[in-house]
Amino acid sequence: MRPILELRNLKMYYDTQAGQVKAADDVSFVLNEGESIGLVGESGCGKTSVSMSIMRLLPENARIISGNIFFDGRDVVKLSNDEMNKIRWAGIAMIFQAAMNSLNPVYRVGDQIIEAITAHEPNVTFEEARQRVASLYKLVGLDPERMDNYPHEYSGGMKQRAIIAMSLACNPKLIIADEPTTALDVIVQDTILRELEKIQRKLNMSMIYISHDIAVIAEVASRIAIMYAGKIVEMSDSVAIFKRPAHPYTVGLMSSFPSIRGEKKELVTIPGEPPNLLNAPDHCRFVPRCPFATDECWKAVPSYTEIESNHFVACFHPQNLKKRVSINA
Amino acid sequence: MMLKYIGNRILQIAILLVIYVAIVFFMLHAMPGGIKTLLISNPKLTPQAQEAIIRAFGLNQPLWLQFVDYMKNVFTLNLGISFSYYPTPVWNIIAERLPRTVLLFTVATLIAFFVGFASGKSLAWNRGKTTEYVSTVVGIITYTIFTPLLIFVMIWFFGSFLGIFPLNQFLNPDLWIHTRLNAQIVFLYILMTMVIIGAVMMVSYLMALRFSHKESTKKMIFYVSTAISIVFALFLWVVSPIGIYGADILWHMVLPVMTVTIISYAGNMLVMRDSMLETIKEDFITTARAKGLPDKVVRDKHAARTAMLPVVTNFVLSLGFVVSGGVITESLFSWPGMGMTLLDSTLAKDYPLAAGALIFTGIFVLIAHLVVDIVYAFLDPRIRY
């Protein structure tokens, strides 16, 4: 399998008046063609910062300090904005966090998709583009006749489907889905995610799913990377993460979501909140909230090690892999 | 749907107009002095003559009956006879002066709108640069400046110090004395030319939308047809015998238009800047960038197009101030339009003319509101009537 995206020690910091905020600190992962990976973590832990770095859509006060992002063999960190514009959408498309507001209210939805097509493929005629949009609408389960409607005439779920259709418009090799279903109710959420997964397999695209909901991600992504405070703390294939979570934070995340099929258990919250990334400490960032912390954890940053084949974790006390553990607050 | 809406709006406007005329009528009657005293104050008039005048004007009737009569007359465009320009009918004076005001302020307001829109757009886009701070400060100064002061400075600088623009009046008497041509006709021709060019621009824009889906072709159709119609209009004006008179009027218009533009562009600019700054934070702007659209397309097609809606609202609100500002501007530039007529007739207690001037400025503002409402419906698809 050929790698489509490779992040190598990506560091992205925000310059604020109070100092540097390390939103992505030493993030590395490889994504192969046709593979899907989920980035999971609480809000404010740097998931969106990573995806915005890949798209190079950072606000003015954000800088990529060091590291590389190889997409299809090219380092996008070094590209000019014009060169980047050619990769955006044609190479990497995005499904945004706030689908409700991701469509311009004054243009017809179909025209906004056509705009993306003609921007990257100037030879496509308007009629061809319309036909492509119609087939995309059918693919995502929308009535093609609705493409001449304005965004405010769509329901939330329809907008989300339209956004998915838009992300597919230029046949991208990679789609970043940033909380693609957070704004929707649970039933629509499930249908849309399943359809997204089906399309991904059918078109053999690579996907990055971003969510705070590890259970949802585990169903659609083949691998999962857990992020905490700007760092990846654990990464493995979904089954391994789900069956044998090693990092205390992962264990905590898992116990804080209800399982539909499993036995009824009390939901456990992780005490405390994610650290302020402004003054990143030089010890493990999870230690103030960690029930397994020892003196060692307060002294150094744990290294990222492989504890079983393709299962990486950054912790001094990886949890017992055989037995399901739980944290009590 | 749209026609029904426009019909409704016109009906509303008619009702508003009746209320407005009533207010004008009663306000003028509430003025100290009073129309009756004015007419019979001449000591040479015998009591019989006084009685005859009062009877002839219907002033012996109760006020509400006088009002009903007046209303009837207004809606048949019979506005009475001016006292100070006796025996010229008010309607003739207004028909002569309204085009002058409409021309002056429509040109100035449109220029102010586009200057404000374009500068506000680029200010927001180039946030944090020195030019942004300088233009914002300059804008606030011109927005808050005392209008007569600015006018005096403009007249002194351009009219006297540089001596490049005529000082007052709307035409050069030395030129017009040799012709029997009426300035009113020339004004109407200028207005007509503007309306035709505007119509050509609108039609070509709609045609471009219908016949092409390529941004560059659309722009080309629009610009080429606009340019052709402007060149054609200029050519007609140059070859026609009245061309030189038209040029004379336009030459006299430059300074007032410049002044009104300076006063009113900044309001549009500041609103556009704020609105644009809000809009570029929106998610759909991030979407547009993520789609790999060039910066200019994101700025113009996505950000500015959506951000302009509050500016149009501001434009409507500023129309009222245009009329009131017109009194000062027209007086100081000796531009004999509606503003100056309003001031002169009120000072001369020329009741019919003052009422007529007020009613027609009211009609102008109401029509402008209607036009903007219709434009708004085209600009914002979320508004459907």
Side-chain angles (χ1 to χ4, degrees), chain B residues 191-251:
Chain B
L191 272 178
M192 214 167 74
T193 316
M194 277 176 51
V195 169
I196 290 173
I197 291 177
V200 169
M201 284 167 80
M202 212 171 94
V203 169
S204 67
Y205 177 72
L206 291 177
M207 298 279 266
L209 275 189
R210 172 152 296 186
F211 288 116
S212 170
H213 301 289
K214 275 221 155 57
E215 214 52 46
S216 51
T217 339
K218 269 191 232 173
K219 270 187 185 152
M220 209 181 68
I221 296 178
F222 179 69
Y223 287 132
V224 166
S225 54
T226 308
I228 288 175
S229 63
I230 290 176
V231 167
F232 186 64
L234 277 179
F235 172 77
L236 282 185
W237 273 95
V238 168
V239 298
S240 83
I242 59 165
I244 184 161
Y245 302 103
D248 186 48
I249 286 173
L250 290 183
W251 181 237

Side-chain angles (χ1 to χ4, degrees), chain B residues 44-334:
Chain B
K44 284 181 187 161
L45 287 175
T46 61
Q48 284 82 4
Q50 288 179 357
E51 185 71 13
I53 288 175
I54 285 172
R55 207 176 287 275
F57 284 100
L59 291 172
N60 54 341
Q61 283 173 333
L63 196 57
W64 70 269
L65 263 182
Q66 290 184 35
F67 172 67
V68 170
D69 275 346
Y70 187 73
M71 214 51 150
K72 239 188 275 164
N73 287 335
V74 166
F75 281 91
T76 51
L77 280 183
N78 175 9
L79 295 167
I81 288 166
S82 165
F83 296 165
S84 43
Y85 295 91
Y86 189 83
T88 321
V90 170
W91 167 244
N92 289 19
I93 298 174
I94 286 172
E96 179 187 76
R97 298 191 174 180
L98 191 64
R100 297 176 189 161
T101 297
V102 170
L103 181 63
L104 180 65
F105 284 102
T106 319
V107 171
T109 320
L110 284 178
I111 293 177
F113 179 79
F114 285 108
V115 170
F117 175 72
S119 54
K121 182 177 83 179
S122 71
L123 284 191
W125 203 250
N126 300 313
R127 181 101 212 254
K129 300 218 173 98
T130 329
T131 44
E132 194 221 338
Y133 294 116
V134 175
S135 330
T136 309
V137 170
V138 170
I140 289 172
I141 290 173
T142 62
Y143 187 56
T144 48
I145 199 169
F146 185 51
T147 311
L149 177 72
L150 177 72
I151 296 178
F152 287 136
V153 171
M154 295 290 283
I155 290 177
W156 166 76
F157 187 73
F158 290 102
S160 169
F161 184 73
L162 291 179
I164 48 173
F165 289 121
L167 275 180
N168 61 13
Q169 284 296 346
F170 66 102
L171 43 77
N172 181 1
D174 294 341
L175 178 73
W176 288 72
I177 200 151
H178 302 297
T179 176
R180 292 177 59 202
L181 193 66
N182 192 340
Q184 191 186 341
I185 307 282
V186 182
F187 267 109
L188 286 177
Y189 277 132
I190 296 176
L191 272 178
M192 214 167 74
T193 316
M194 277 176 51
V195 169
I196 290 173
I197 291 177
V200 169
M201 284 167 80
M202 212 171 94
V203 169
S204 67
Y205 177 72
L206 291 177
M207 298 279 266
L209 275 189
R210 172 152 296 186
F211 288 116
S212 170
H213 301 289
K214 275 221 155 57
E215 214 52 46
S216 51
T217 339
K218 269 191 232 173
K219 270 187 185 152
M220 209 181 68
I221 296 178
F222 179 69
Y223 287 132
V224 166
S225 54
T226 308
I228 288 175
S229 63
I230 290 176
V231 167
F232 186 64
L234 277 179
F235 172 77
L236 282 185
W237 273 95
V238 168
V239 298
S240 83
I242 59 165
I244 184 161
Y245 302 103
D248 186 48
I249 286 173
L250 290 183
W251 181 237
H252 281 76
M253 245 174 73
V254 174
L255 204 49
V257 164
M258 222 155 77
T259 312
V260 177
T261 307
I262 288 175
I263 292 166
S264 49
Y265 89 95
N268 295 324
M269 180 181 87
L270 296 173
V271 172
M272 181 64 191
R273 174 177 165 273
D274 280 5
S275 162
M276 185 87 172
L277 284 176
E278 278 306 308
T279 310
I280 50 187
K281 281 188 224 143
E282 295 274 357
D283 293 319
F284 60 80
I285 298 299
T286 318
T287 312
R289 283 184 203 274
K291 280 199 274 188
L293 304 176
D295 246 25
K296 249 181 89 177
V297 177
V298 176
R299 184 191 68 189
D300 295 341
K301 194 178 166 193
H302 287 276
R305 171 67 176 71
T306 319
M308 83 187 287
L309 298 169
V311 190
V312 175
T313 313
N314 180 59
F315 177 78
V316 187
L317 295 176
S318 71
L319 279 174
F321 297 105
V322 163
V323 175
S324 61
V327 175
I328 301 169
T329 318
E330 289 189 357
S331 310
L332 293 179
F333 281 109
S334 314

